[in-house]
Amino acid sequence: MLKHLHAKPEPGSALRNLRKHKQLTLAEVSERTGLPVSTLSKIENGKMSLSYDKLARLSTGLEVDIAQLFEPDSAAPPTRVQGRRSITRAGSGLSVETENYSHLYPNADLLNKRLVPIIAEPHARSLAEFGELIRHEGEEFIYVLEGTVDLHTDLYAPTRLEAGDSMYFDSGMGHAYIAVGPKRCRVLSICTASQSRLAEALGSNKGTQGPPIKRKPRQPASTKKPVIPAKKRPAARSK
């Protein structure tokens, strides 16, 4: 198991601080993100976990880096500098748990990145368990670090990737990483869009992809000749 050196993130507190810093009401945040006021209230009060969809919508609507949603004291906008760099040591990073993934964000201290690296551990082992496919702008690179993963999209047949395999694809397609087999699965995912723009298209993409439809096999045509009832012979006339 990975050991995370960061303190447990508190997205609810961070969201509340960011909202107040920007002098926004819950209703105004709802208009910007497309998330219901009731959902936002539950997030701020720690009564609802954040999926990647919600994280990206909040990031886009509030115009902040996703990492800022896990730093309660980072409401102030980051300072832009040149020649910046960030080092993440082995076993450290920003740990985020969602329903379908365990995410580890390296270099989380570097905000407003143009490339977003994520080490993800898929939980779902079927598309039905995963639910709605994820969509966001930009392109995405996946490299399988450990185990086996099926990459599902809404335009192509599922692709199975083993450890050491990689794929580059348009992340505007609905997509999902599905773990295969009982062994642990980990992937390195790198998105080309900035974190604040990852889910710009999520609000308009409401489509879902469920499990494949199981059709009953057609019954083979019978090779037996139909039995034609014999014609009745006319009754013999009595003499």
Side-chain angles (χ1 to χ4, degrees):
M1 297 296 292
L2 291 176
K3 295 180 180 179
H4 308 299
L5 303 185
H6 286 258
K8 185 177 180 181
E10 299 180 359
S13 300
L15 174 59
R16 185 183 300 108
N17 291 342
L18 285 166
R19 178 173 63 80
K20 291 182 178 180
H21 176 77
K22 293 177 177 290
Q23 298 181 341
L24 297 172
T25 65
L26 284 174
E28 290 171 331
V29 174
S30 176
E31 291 179 2
R32 290 187 176 203
T33 62
L35 296 173
V37 172
S38 58
T39 297
L40 295 170
S41 178
K42 289 178 182 178
I43 293 172
E44 286 195 358
N45 289 286
K47 297 181 179 179
M48 177 178 289
S49 61
L50 279 171
S51 65
Y52 189 78
D53 181 346
K54 294 184 181 70
L55 280 171
R57 292 191 189 193
L58 289 169
S59 172
T60 300
L62 295 174
E63 298 179 343
V64 297
D65 194 281
I66 283 182
Q68 287 182 267
L69 294 172
F70 296 92
E71 299 292 340
D73 299 326
S74 63
T79 303
R80 294 185 178 275
V81 296
Q82 293 182 348
R84 61 184 187 160
R85 74 172 197 171
S86 172
I87 298 174
T88 300
R89 301 297 181 185
S92 62
L94 178 64
S95 176
V96 179
E97 291 288 335
T98 67
E99 185 177 355
N100 288 318
Y101 299 110
S102 292
H103 284 142
L104 182 65
Y105 288 84
N107 312 108
D109 58 322
L110 192 61
L111 305 181
N112 299 311
K113 297 183 290 292
R114 293 186 180 182
L115 294 176
V116 183
I118 307 169
I119 298 174
E121 182 175 342
H123 298 318
R125 299 191 179 273
S126 70
L127 197 57
E129 181 183 352
F130 187 93
E132 184 176 358
L133 300 181
I134 293 175
R135 296 171 175 83
H136 51 83
E137 72 170 20
E139 297 176 328
E140 191 162 338
F141 172 79
I142 173 180
Y143 181 89
V144 181
L145 300 169
E146 182 181 353
T148 304
V149 62
D150 279 347
L151 178 56
H152 290 257
T153 68
D154 54 5
L155 296 182
Y156 295 93
T159 302
R160 178 154 298 182
L161 301 173
E162 306 284 351
D165 292 341
S166 63
M167 181 185 289
Y168 194 103
F169 62 95
D170 177 3
S171 46
M173 295 187 298
H175 57 278
Y177 301 158
I178 305 299
V180 177
K183 294 183 179 180
R184 184 187 186 191
C185 176
R186 288 194 310 140
V187 303
L188 169 64
S189 174
I190 300 176
C191 302
T192 62
S194 64
Q195 286 186 350
S196 62
R197 304 294 295 172
L198 277 176
E200 184 175 346
L202 281 175
S204 58
N205 289 333
K206 300 297 184 181
T208 61
Q209 179 172 323
I213 299 174
K214 294 183 179 179
R215 302 184 184 276
K216 294 182 179 180
R218 293 183 178 180
Q219 296 295 332
S222 176
T223 57
K224 294 182 179 180
K225 295 182 179 180
V227 178
I228 302 175
K231 294 183 179 180
K232 292 183 178 181
R233 295 180 180 179
R237 295 181 180 180
S238 58
K239 294 182 179 180

